[in-house]
């Protein structure tokens, strides 16, 4: 240990971990993930830390710029000499630094991105994601459309980057021959201040289903425009943007009734969890450690859940905080039920399985909360030959 990280990453009293999150810029809505993680570690430290060590959480802003993200990650590795990266947000910045971190055997744990690249232990044994893959989510929507709206025309509005492409690809794969029902698709850039022309174009296609994959602020613009022009297709919204605080409230809650999405974490606004001990703990945590946080912002539950998962890994490490053991423990989570995950959504990892969460369920917004539709869906159920190699647990 001493050889690996000379007196910096781990001492008898402290564990130094690094994170990069967009606190400013077009993706600043996701900054609450980092703020929640920081608050969570503050709570853990106040309770004596993990196995007697406090967590020092260094989190830098990337200004929603992937190049800045990879520069900040490199700074954490080279200058700050963190023990490992945890929960850093986004695809491109993490992708750019992945080889560098793997060459140096620095864990890149629980990346806050649903790209399939994070589940490739053979090529990148030091990199692991956390949330379900965007591509699997696309296949879930394909199944939903086939089951409830067969032979209806579909339009897709997607963010012009890898994030948008992933979900769209999964949708097309899931639809198979039915992909012919996609009568229109168009893209937008994250920086677009209006997407009226895209919505108008998609409406003119005659589509009865609109699948949206992009950032929450743009989802709000889409829902507002649809209300303005009195267009009411079935609206499917990607999980990353299914935030009441960041997408539905800005769109107008009345304009958001009926929106369908996926969930793998509990919705604090859902009365079903009113007496749930884990959500009571989350609520007390928000009161004390993150009082400025918006409880309607699902990213606060995400930040709490991902930090809780890391705490479990560090507890399993005991006194062996070598980077090898951290990866070993991260890859040996067995039926771990995260307190804020939906019932039936369990975390399983193994040496060849770097996809902690592979289950989600469909939900629909009723004007106040997300209501579940049907049962928890395993990505395994989406076909044994699915390209993400999902296995049934």
């Amino acid at each position: 240990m001493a050889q690996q990280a000379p007196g910096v990453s781990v001492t008898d009293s402290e564990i130094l971990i690094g994170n990069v999150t967009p606190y400013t810029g077009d993706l600043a809505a996701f900054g609450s993930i980092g703020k929640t993680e920081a608050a969570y570690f503050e709570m853990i430290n106040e309770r004596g830390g993990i196995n007697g060590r406090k967590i020092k959480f260094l989190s830098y802003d990337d200004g929603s710029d992937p190049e800045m993200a990879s520069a900040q990650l490199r700074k954490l590795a080279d200058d700050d000499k963190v023990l490992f990266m945890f929960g850093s947000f986004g695809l491109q910045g993490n992708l750019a630094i992945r080889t560098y971190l793997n060459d140096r055997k620095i864990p890149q744990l629980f990346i806050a991105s649903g790209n399939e690249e994070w589940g490739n232990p053979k090529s990148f044994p030091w990199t692991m994601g956390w949330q379900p893959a965007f591509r699997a989510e696309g296949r879930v929507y394909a199944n939903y459309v086939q089951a409830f709206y067969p032979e209806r025309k579909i339009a897709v509005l997607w963010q012009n980057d890898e994030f948008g492409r992933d979900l769209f690809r999964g949708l097309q794969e899931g639809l198979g021959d039915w992909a012919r029902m996609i009568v229109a698709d168009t893209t937008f850039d994250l920086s677009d201040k209006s997407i009226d022309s895209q919505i108008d174009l998609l409406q003119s296609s005659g589509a009865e289903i609109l699948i949206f994959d992009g950032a929450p602020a743009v989802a709000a613009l889409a829902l507002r425009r649809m209300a303005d022009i009195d267009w009411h297709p079935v609206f499917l919204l990607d999980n990353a943007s299914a935030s009441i605080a960041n997408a539905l409230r800005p769109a107008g809650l009345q304009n958001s009734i009926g929106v369908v999405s996926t969930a793998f974490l509990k919705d604090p606004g859902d009365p079903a969890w009113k007496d749930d001990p884990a959500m009571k703990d989350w609520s007390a945590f928000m009161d004390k450690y993150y009082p400025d946080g918006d409880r309607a912002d699902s990213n606060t539950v995400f930040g709490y859940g991902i930090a809780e998962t890391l705490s479990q890994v560090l507890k399993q490490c005991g006194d062996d905080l070598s980077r090898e053991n951290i990866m070993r423990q991260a890859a040996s989570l067995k039926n771990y039920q995260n307190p804020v995950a939906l019932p039936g959504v369990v975390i399983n990892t193994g040496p060849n399985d770097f996809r902690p969460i592979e289950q989600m369920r469909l939900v629909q917004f009723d004007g106040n909360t997300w209501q579940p539709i049907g049962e928890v869906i395993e990505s395994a159920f989406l076909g044994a030959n699915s390209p993400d190699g999902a296995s049934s647990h």
Side-chain angles (χ1 to χ4, degrees):
M1 190 62 242
Q3 286 175 327
Q4 215 174 49
V8 180
S9 308
V10 178
T11 64
D12 287 343
S13 59
E14 193 174 79
I15 303 167
L16 183 63
I17 63 179
N19 167 279
V20 173
T21 291
Y23 294 108
T24 57
D26 292 327
L27 294 169
F30 293 103
S32 53
I33 297 176
K35 290 174 186 172
T36 307
E37 290 161 349
Y40 185 91
F41 297 131
E42 187 190 335
M43 173 183 77
I44 289 289
N45 290 344
E46 211 169 87
R47 294 175 180 177
I50 294 177
N51 299 331
R53 288 182 175 87
K54 304 281 175 78
I55 291 176
K56 186 172 180 187
F57 182 59
L58 278 186
S59 182
Y60 293 145
D61 180 21
D62 65 17
S64 303
D65 173 358
E67 282 182 26
M68 196 203 248
S70 68
Q72 296 284 44
L73 285 160
R74 189 172 280 236
K75 178 177 186 292
L76 285 162
D78 294 348
D79 301 347
D80 300 310
K81 296 188 166 49
V82 298
L83 182 62
F84 59 90
M85 304 300 171
F86 158 71
S88 290
F89 181 87
L91 171 66
Q92 296 302 341
N94 278 303
L95 206 52
I97 195 81
R98 177 176 64 167
T99 299
Y100 185 80
L101 293 175
N102 274 263
D103 286 349
R104 282 156 188 74
K105 301 184 175 176
I106 299 173
Q108 191 179 17
L109 261 189
F110 303 150
I111 294 169
S113 153
N115 191 274
E116 291 182 301
E117 290 291 339
W118 317 133
N120 186 355
K122 282 193 180 66
S123 306
F124 298 100
W126 298 88
T127 298
M128 185 186 287
W130 187 68
Q131 71 209 67
F134 299 137
R135 197 158 162 188
E137 189 183 354
R139 291 200 296 276
V140 169
Y141 295 137
N143 276 325
Y144 173 72
V145 168
Q146 287 168 324
F148 291 94
Y149 301 101
E151 299 296 330
R152 301 281 179 90
K153 292 178 180 170
I154 302 164
V156 185
L157 178 59
W158 53 287
Q159 196 164 293
N160 191 12
D161 60 15
E162 198 60 40
F163 163 50
R165 266 189 293 277
D166 263 5
L167 195 140
F168 190 19
R169 197 180 299 136
L171 175 75
Q172 290 168 311
E173 289 164 357
L175 287 171
D177 294 343
W178 284 28
R180 63 187 157 74
M181 299 312 293
I182 299 172
V183 292
D185 78 274
T186 188
T187 63
F188 59 88
D189 292 316
L190 200 49
S191 54
D192 288 356
K193 296 298 174 245
S194 165
I195 51 161
D196 290 1
S197 58
Q198 287 100 318
I199 293 292
D200 296 355
L201 174 78
L202 295 173
Q203 183 200 22
S204 69
S205 72
E208 301 152 278
I209 297 164
L210 176 58
I211 294 164
F212 176 90
D213 184 36
V218 186
L221 294 176
L223 285 162
R224 272 198 172 299
R225 179 60 180 173
M226 285 158 55
D228 289 347
I229 61 175
D230 204 28
W231 182 36
H232 304 287
V234 176
F235 190 85
L236 305 185
L237 172 65
D238 63 284
N239 167 272
S241 292
S243 166
I244 296 171
N246 299 324
L248 306 189
R249 207 161 54 199
L253 294 178
Q254 71 287 358
N255 298 330
S256 307
I257 292 170
V259 169
V260 171
S261 187
T262 56
F264 56 96
L265 301 172
K266 294 169 183 171
D267 170 11
D270 185 344
W273 310 120
K274 186 166 59 67
D275 299 318
D276 179 61
M279 291 314 281
K280 282 183 169 173
D281 286 349
W282 173 84
S283 187
F285 156 81
M286 290 294 287
D287 283 345
K288 183 171 180 187
Y289 295 97
Y290 189 15
D292 299 341
D294 187 336
R295 286 159 180 269
D297 177 2
S298 50
N299 291 322
T300 59
V301 183
F302 184 100
Y304 184 94
I306 200 170
E308 177 89 38
T309 308
L310 179 68
S311 297
Q312 175 65 27
V313 169
L314 292 175
K315 280 176 197 153
Q316 288 178 198
C317 285
D319 245 5
D320 179 0
L321 287 164
S322 63
R323 286 168 169 159
E324 285 84 357
N325 192 41
I326 286 164
M327 283 313 297
R328 198 179 304 124
Q329 297 308 324
S332 56
L333 291 165
K334 290 282 167 274
N335 293 320
Y336 167 59
Q337 176 73 55
N338 191 291
V340 294
L342 288 169
V345 174
V346 289
I347 293 181
N348 279 289
T349 56
N352 301 311
D353 178 7
F354 273 27
R355 299 183 191 286
I357 302 178
E358 293 192 71
Q359 301 147 312
M360 50 182 83
R361 76 183 311 165
L362 286 156
V363 289
Q364 187 164 34
F365 188 66
D366 67 3
N368 295 303
T369 62
W370 291 103
Q371 298 293 343
I373 310 173
E375 298 304 307
V376 168
I377 299 164
E378 294 229 19
S379 48
F381 146 85
L382 302 170
N385 59 355
S386 59
D388 70 343
S391 58
S392 61
H393 294 305

